[in-house]
Amino acid sequence: MTLVRLSGEIARSLGGVGRIAVEGEVYRPTTSRGGWVFFTLRDRAAQIEVKVPAPAARRSRIVAGERVSVVGSLQWANDRGQVHVAAEEVTPVGAGAIAALIIETRRQLASEGLLDRPRRRIPLLPAAIGVVCGSDAAVRKDIESVAASRCPGYPIIFEETTVSGPAAALSIVEALTAVATRPGVEVVIMARGGGDAPSLLPWSTEEVCRAMADCPVPVVSAIGHEGDRPLCDEVADLRCGTPSLAATAVLPDLTELAEALDVQLQRAASTTSVMVDEARRRLVGVDTRRALVAGLDSAAGRAERAGIRLSGAHPSGRLQACEARLGVAGWRRLTWETLGRAEGHLSAEMRHLRVLSPHRTLERGYAVVTGPDGTVVRRADTLVPGDPIAVRLAAGQLAAAVTRIDMTEDVES
């Protein structure tokens, strides 16, 4: 037989052992960078290596020196030639270790405010009631008996699951999610019979408590007996000592409802009778003729006040006022005065224009000389002897030619 074949035979043999639960002491636990936990499970005569995946390690308590129960399967490592336990769940064994685990979980939930969150009210008449319980017939029978006595035929949806032992916490969470999302379910009862601390430990796990806090409908906790206090009791919206008490708190009592309805109907009838009598008494005391006259007088007064307001708002009054203001203004006199002022202003501007006109300059003896191209000559050096020029006078124009150019500066007179 080759070594590879031998390793295969060992692996197949270990696979035939199946799922196991073994107890022992945690020795030298270490945590990898990926969150895996490795430790040795030992007792006085034997030991075996245990590997805990990160998801299982997060919901387990692994402390050196504590006694634990490891649930998983045997595996063979070919590279190391060793047998180890691939753990699915690691739970403490013993009252002290369980109490320490619950204290640690309570501290974590309290730091996130899950223990002090506002509690939701339990509906008076839920459309349907969901129940998460185990396959134990006693718990279901207790709830069904309470339903039969208080409200026969009330819709109750049972979701049975594993409530203790390995992987019970995950099963409880899945059952709660399934029943809470069923159509019509408006409240869920978490029910379980009594048991010792290890059997009730799943109800104190962080997964179950978070699921109850995140549930979309109110949750009633009814775990164990009156003396049992798992951690989920501190998270639930209502805590009851037993499943029977939980059913009594959630299920309506038809007899009590009928009696309360009768009381409300009697109270409504009495109140209505008093109101009708009072209205009848007031109606009898009403003098219809006097009320009609008073109403007509009030209407006439309102009509008169409306007429006064209408006459004050009529446009004829404003038109008369405008005519009076126009009559006083004398618009014809104002128009002639305006025209006279405009004529005087125009005459003054014409005189100013005549003073500034080039013709007045020519009349004083000045002339305007234009060169061969018709432009006004301002400098003598722009022409040459022989260039024809035109001289414009105040009366008439002369044609001439340049015979001499003198650039002597003008002397101020």
Side-chain angles (χ1 to χ4, degrees):
M1 176 179 297
T2 63
L3 184 58
V4 174
R5 182 179 176 184
L6 177 60
S7 298
E9 291 294 336
I10 295 174
R12 281 192 295 271
S13 300
L14 294 177
V17 175
R19 199 158 177 254
I20 61 171
V22 59
E23 295 184 6
E25 177 187 343
V26 177
Y27 180 66
R28 290 184 178 178
T30 58
T31 303
S32 69
R33 183 175 301 177
W36 282 60
V37 178
F38 306 91
F39 66 92
T40 300
L41 186 69
R42 69 179 186 177
D43 60 13
R44 289 180 295 178
Q47 66 180 24
I48 191 172
E49 299 298 319
V50 179
K51 296 182 180 180
V52 188
R58 284 193 294 268
R59 61 175 184 269
S60 302
R61 174 183 170 86
I62 305 173
V63 178
E66 286 190 355
R67 187 171 181 82
V68 296
S69 173
V70 178
V71 178
S73 58
L74 294 175
Q75 292 185 355
W76 169 258
N78 290 336
D79 53 345
R80 302 180 60 184
Q82 291 182 351
V83 177
H84 66 268
V85 178
E88 303 173 7
E89 186 178 55
V90 179
T91 56
V93 177
I98 293 176
L101 175 60
I102 294 176
I103 291 174
E104 182 179 345
T105 304
R106 179 184 288 107
R107 185 183 301 110
Q108 178 64 28
L109 297 178
S111 65
E112 300 178 14
L114 296 182
L115 301 184
D116 299 330
R117 65 185 182 87
R119 287 341 190 226
R120 294 167 288 188
R121 295 183 59 184
I122 306 302
L124 178 62
L125 289 172
I129 300 174
V131 178
V132 175
C133 62
S135 57
D136 182 10
V139 172
R140 181 166 182 167
K141 185 177 180 180
D142 291 343
I143 296 176
E144 290 176 341
S145 62
V146 173
S149 62
R150 293 177 62 86
C151 190
Y154 206 91
I156 302 177
I157 301 174
F158 288 90
E159 186 73 25
E160 296 184 354
T161 186
T162 303
V163 295
S164 63
L170 297 180
S171 300
I172 295 171
V173 171
E174 293 175 358
L176 175 59
T177 303
V179 74
T181 54
R182 295 282 292 272
V185 172
E186 296 181 355
V187 62
V188 177
I189 299 176
M190 309 289 284
R192 188 201 187 283
D196 55 5
S199 62
L200 296 179
L201 181 59
W203 300 96
S204 296
T205 58
E206 187 174 343
E207 293 84 3
V208 173
C209 293
R210 290 186 183 279
M212 294 174 67
D214 296 337
C215 185
V217 298
V219 179
V220 179
S221 175
I223 309 301
H225 301 302
E226 182 64 34
D228 297 325
R229 289 298 182 94
L231 194 55
C232 66
D233 287 351
E234 303 180 28
V235 182
D237 296 286
L238 177 65
R239 188 262 174 184
C240 295
T242 63
S244 299
L245 293 177
T248 302
V250 174
L251 284 163
D253 190 335
L254 291 184
T255 303
E256 294 179 358
L257 286 177
E259 293 176 355
L261 184 59
D262 291 339
V263 171
Q264 294 296 332
L265 289 175
Q266 292 176 4
R267 184 177 302 171
S270 177
T271 304
T272 304
S273 177
V274 172
M275 294 176 63
V276 170
D277 293 342
E278 177 65 18
R280 184 180 291 110
R281 184 186 61 79
R282 296 174 59 187
L283 184 60
V284 170
V286 173
D287 188 347
T288 56
R289 182 180 298 277
R290 187 176 61 183
L292 180 59
V293 172
L296 290 175
D297 292 342
S298 177
R302 290 197 300 271
E304 183 179 359
R305 290 191 295 272
I308 294 173
R309 290 197 300 270
L310 181 61
S311 62
H314 198 276
S316 60
R318 301 181 62 186
L319 181 60
Q320 294 175 0
C322 291
E323 290 178 351
R325 287 197 300 271
L326 286 175
V328 174
W331 58 273
R332 293 181 181 276
R333 181 175 58 82
L334 295 176
T335 302
W336 288 113
E337 291 179 356
T338 303
L339 290 176
R341 288 195 298 271
E343 184 179 5
H345 182 69
L346 181 60
S347 299
E349 293 295 336
M350 289 296 295
R351 289 192 299 272
H352 188 228
L353 180 63
R354 283 195 295 270
V355 170
L356 298 177
S357 174
H359 292 284
R360 297 299 299 269
T361 305
L362 296 177
E363 289 176 356
R364 292 198 300 269
Y366 291 95
V368 177
V369 179
T370 57
D373 55 357
T375 60
V376 176
V377 178
R378 292 180 174 83
R379 294 178 59 86
D381 57 1
T382 59
L383 299 174
V384 297
D387 285 345
I389 58 175
V391 181
R392 182 179 179 180
L393 306 175
Q397 184 171 334
L398 301 177
V402 177
T403 59
R404 185 172 59 86
I405 297 175
D406 187 1
M407 291 298 294
T408 302
E409 296 293 335
D410 294 337
V411 178
E412 295 182 357
S413 60

